[in-house]
Amino acid sequence: SGCALIGGETAEMPGMYPAGEYDLAGFAVGAVEKSKILTGQNVKAGDVVLGLASSGVHSNGFSLVRKCIERAGSNAPATLDGKPFKQALMEPTRLYVLNVLAALAKHPNTQEASGIKALAHITGGGLLENIPRVLPDGLAAHLEKGSWPQTELFAWLQATAGIDDIEMNRTFNNGIGMVVVVDAGEAESCAASLRALGESVYTIGRIAPQGDGAQVVVA
């Protein structure tokens, strides 16, 4: 991702971790010009919501994943989405930074042009809790159910956990790892740019007045 890992440590703590186990911690620092910060404050009704496909579970929801594995036992499938079962569950998190930066450079949101207005990384809390962080008060994201495919992995997790669509979209990324809010006039060209960079992109919804409802509605 072009990031410098400038600090961290490997900690071995006898009495805390079992023999042979350790904790690895690290961090990176980023900088951005103030004029280029995406605050989301100029998001407006009618803007388009694009979703970039995730590579799998990423790093959230693994407490429930472990419960699903335990519940399935020997009935766990041999493969999911064409990958061995364990590989599908442990697929590394897709990193979007370089492709998103390239798309931002091509579709900036400035006084002269309306392009990408907000980005939401879909981590813990899923679509329902991460998208509101980039929306101004009074606006909501109306997402269209079925506008992006549910992979075999997430279909298996939902069936095994016995949870409804609302909890799927709160517990897991459910197939969307990054959300891009873009001006409607730039949506098609922005999606094309991201696809050319190797992303799987879906038009998953629009921004609308919130009214008395939630800030994210999937219907």
Side-chain angles (χ1 to χ4, degrees):
S1 295
C3 295
L5 186 64
I6 61 172
E9 67 174 357
T10 302
E12 296 180 64
M13 295 188 286
M16 178 65 72
Y17 299 141
E21 294 192 6
Y22 59 90
D23 175 69
L24 175 65
F27 71 93
V29 174
V32 60
E33 293 294 334
K34 190 174 182 179
S35 61
K36 294 184 178 181
I37 295 175
L38 294 183
T39 65
Q41 289 307 302
N42 56 352
V43 171
K44 69 179 190 301
D47 287 344
V48 171
V49 182
L50 302 177
L52 309 188
S54 65
S55 57
V57 180
H58 287 186
S59 303
N60 302 100
F62 269 94
S63 295
L64 185 53
V65 168
R66 288 193 292 270
K67 288 289 185 182
C68 287
I69 294 171
E70 183 180 328
R71 176 176 289 183
S74 60
N75 293 321
T79 63
L80 288 169
D81 301 304
K83 304 172 186 175
F85 177 69
K86 291 181 180 179
Q87 180 184 335
L89 289 173
M90 298 297 291
E91 190 70 25
T93 299
R94 183 168 183 80
L95 304 179
Y96 302 94
V97 59
L98 294 181
N99 289 345
V100 166
L101 286 173
L104 278 168
K106 194 170 183 179
H107 306 274
N109 186 248
T110 64
Q111 291 182 342
E112 295 78 25
S114 293
I116 296 173
K117 298 183 177 182
L119 298 164
H121 192 198
I122 308 306
T123 55
L127 292 163
L128 302 187
E129 295 182 11
N130 284 288
I131 296 178
R133 296 175 181 175
V134 304
L135 298 181
D137 291 341
L139 291 179
H142 285 238
L143 308 184
E144 182 182 349
K145 182 181 177 181
S147 58
W148 72 94
Q150 187 182 49
T151 62
E152 290 180 5
L153 167 62
F154 288 111
W156 179 80
L157 287 169
Q158 183 170 12
T160 306
I163 59 178
D164 59 21
D165 290 343
I166 293 175
E167 284 307 308
M168 276 300 293
N169 286 317
R170 180 179 288 116
T171 304
F172 298 109
N173 67 60
N174 208 16
I176 298 295
M178 178 72 76
V179 160
V180 181
V181 181
V182 62
D183 185 86
E186 287 276 317
E188 287 191 17
S189 59
C190 182
S193 296
L194 286 161
R195 290 189 183 104
L197 291 163
E199 299 293 343
S200 296
V201 188
Y202 307 98
T203 300
I204 64 174
R206 285 187 176 268
I207 304 300
Q210 182 179 0
D212 296 327
Q215 269 202 301
V216 178
V217 177
V218 184

